Amino acid sequence: MRVFICLGICCLLTACAGKAEKNEEEGGGAEGGTTNGSVQIVGEQETADSLGESENIAEDIPVESEQGAEGEPEMSETTAGEEELPAENLEPTEILVENPSQEYYLTEAIASEDNMSLSLEVLTEETNAITDTEEWFAQNELPAFDSFHMEDEAYWYEIIGDDYASGYLLSIYEKTERGPFLKCLDFSDYRYTDNIKEGDYDFVEQRVWWAQSVDDVLYVAVAHNTYTESCPHTGYLVAIDLNDNRVIWKSAPCMTNGRTFEIIDNTIVCGYGFTDEPDYLNLVNRLDGSLIEQIPIKSMADYIIRKDDILYVRTYNTNYTFQLWRAVECQ
């Protein structure tokens, strides 16, 4: 009888010890995070907290970023994996215009079947009030002037830069109802040249002043707005082939520093001068950039505007009108 009682007690003790060991192993697993039970609950709580943070972040994202697959634009088929930027976010491509020389430069003359030569005859010469520019435009019924926007029969142009005074970029648009952007010419290489007078660097930055085209050749005036002695390499006309953006010719310096010029047949009428310096109207050959004639005037020519066969010229203190005369050049 005692033997049976002892055997029963031993079995009972063995079973309790095994159960305690199993419970101890399950408890250790909970701390280590390697078994089921409380570890999974903790993991679910962390996931829930993370989701909550994600939802809070998502609330700060603009609506267009939450559209999902249906609201996103289709991917371009050009290259797999590449995302095409919206057109409105693309910056205009800037094409650097070569500055080939500080003096007169010519690759080859532009071909033309027109052999008309131009001459000017003074009709009127009147002193102005210096500040009555708007009245001069109105009295002569001349088109409104914008020093940063201009147009011709084929294109319209916008002069831009780092600030209001700067203007070394020339954007070109097709002259249609919508006016799509074509290209942006960068005249950075023309902004500063050599032979700058010591102490005058801050005054000799050159910019684009005017632009007009004929038969896909663009003519651009580039100059600074101070004394020639501060930087003599200024006041250029530049002819650029709009098909390949190369410089065809560049005039000699000190040809133009007014606000405008006029292209009449194969002649460009422009002006150069400054305080205490000689002032001229310059007639420049449109085909090769050479100087044809200089006409002395009383002060620097600001505006040169053609209306029919009369050329209106406003200088700092004097207004002129010129009759335009054409003659067939002898070969």
Side-chain angles (χ1 to χ4, degrees):
M1 188 66 179
R2 290 181 179 178
V3 173
F4 286 112
I5 293 173
C6 289
L7 289 174
I9 293 171
C10 288
C11 292
L12 180 62
L13 290 175
T14 301
C16 290
K19 184 176 181 180
E21 183 178 355
K22 182 177 180 180
N23 290 338
E24 182 179 355
E25 288 177 358
E26 290 179 354
E31 288 183 6
T34 58
T35 62
N36 295 331
S38 63
V39 173
Q40 292 182 353
I41 296 173
V42 171
E44 291 174 359
Q45 291 173 345
E46 289 176 353
T47 303
D49 293 339
S50 300
L51 289 173
E53 291 176 2
S54 299
E55 289 173 358
N56 292 336
I57 294 172
E59 290 176 358
D60 297 330
I61 298 176
V63 175
E64 57 268 25
S65 299
E66 298 180 334
Q67 290 178 351
E70 294 181 358
E72 294 176 356
E74 295 182 0
M75 297 293 290
S76 172
E77 297 180 358
T78 55
T79 305
E82 285 188 0
E83 183 176 355
E84 186 175 351
L85 292 175
E88 60 269 21
N89 292 334
L90 295 176
E91 292 294 330
T93 302
E94 297 171 2
I95 301 169
L96 186 66
V97 179
E98 176 192 12
N99 189 354
S101 172
Q102 304 298 339
E103 305 299 334
Y104 174 72
Y105 170 84
L106 172 67
T107 56
E108 59 182 355
I110 300 167
S112 175
E113 297 180 356
D114 183 5
N115 62 345
M116 301 293 290
S117 64
L118 179 72
S119 61
L120 305 181
E121 178 188 357
V122 178
L123 295 178
T124 63
E125 178 182 326
E126 301 174 348
T127 301
N128 63 40
I130 299 177
T131 59
D132 60 342
T133 303
E134 291 185 5
E135 290 84 345
W136 179 76
F137 272 89
Q139 290 172 2
N140 295 293
E141 298 180 342
L142 299 176
F145 175 79
D146 184 337
S147 59
F148 288 89
H149 300 86
M150 58 223 64
E151 63 182 49
D152 53 37
E153 293 182 356
Y155 308 102
W156 69 272
Y157 312 92
E158 181 181 31
I159 300 172
I160 55 180
D162 297 331
D163 51 40
Y164 183 80
S166 176
Y168 60 93
L169 299 175
L170 180 66
S171 292
I172 305 174
Y173 299 81
E174 185 177 321
K175 193 175 179 182
T176 61
E177 183 178 353
R178 296 185 63 186
F181 170 81
L182 297 177
K183 65 179 72 177
C184 181
L185 299 181
D186 182 352
F187 288 84
S188 292
D189 283 355
Y190 292 74
R191 296 175 77 180
Y192 295 97
T193 62
D194 53 10
N195 294 340
I196 297 174
K197 183 179 178 181
E198 185 177 357
D200 287 357
Y201 185 86
D202 292 339
F203 309 105
V204 296
E205 180 183 1
Q206 304 193 53
R207 54 158 287 193
V208 173
W209 289 93
W210 197 248
Q212 296 285 278
S213 70
V214 177
D215 297 332
D216 272 350
V217 176
L218 181 66
Y219 301 89
V220 181
V222 182
H224 63 55
N225 191 29
T226 189
Y227 294 96
T228 303
E229 66 177 14
S230 295
C231 178
H233 288 146
T234 180
Y236 296 98
L237 286 170
V238 185
I240 301 165
D241 189 332
L242 287 176
N243 296 305
D244 57 14
N245 307 306
R246 67 184 178 91
V247 174
I248 301 172
W249 58 254
K250 180 182 177 184
S251 74
C254 301
M255 286 294 107
T256 179
N257 65 344
R259 297 177 182 272
T260 67
F261 59 76
E262 278 286 353
I263 302 176
I264 305 170
D265 301 328
N266 285 338
T267 302
I268 301 175
V269 183
C270 53
Y272 190 87
F274 208 75
T275 306
D276 297 329
E277 297 181 19
D279 304 287
Y280 297 99
L281 279 184
N282 294 317
L283 275 60
V284 175
N285 190 323
R286 179 180 71 83
L287 304 180
D288 62 14
S290 61
L291 178 63
I292 300 172
E293 183 183 1
Q294 283 189 320
I295 302 173
I297 51 180
K298 289 190 173 180
S299 56
M300 171 186 167
D302 276 332
Y303 302 95
I304 301 171
I305 301 174
R306 176 189 177 185
K307 180 182 175 184
D308 300 326
D309 283 336
I310 303 297
L311 191 69
Y312 294 82
V313 178
R314 180 178 174 87
T315 74
Y316 174 72
N317 57 19
T318 307
N319 298 333
Y320 293 89
T321 58
F322 293 87
Q323 178 68 54
L324 303 177
W325 293 100
R326 296 182 181 86
V328 177
E329 290 182 342
C330 295
Q331 299 296 325

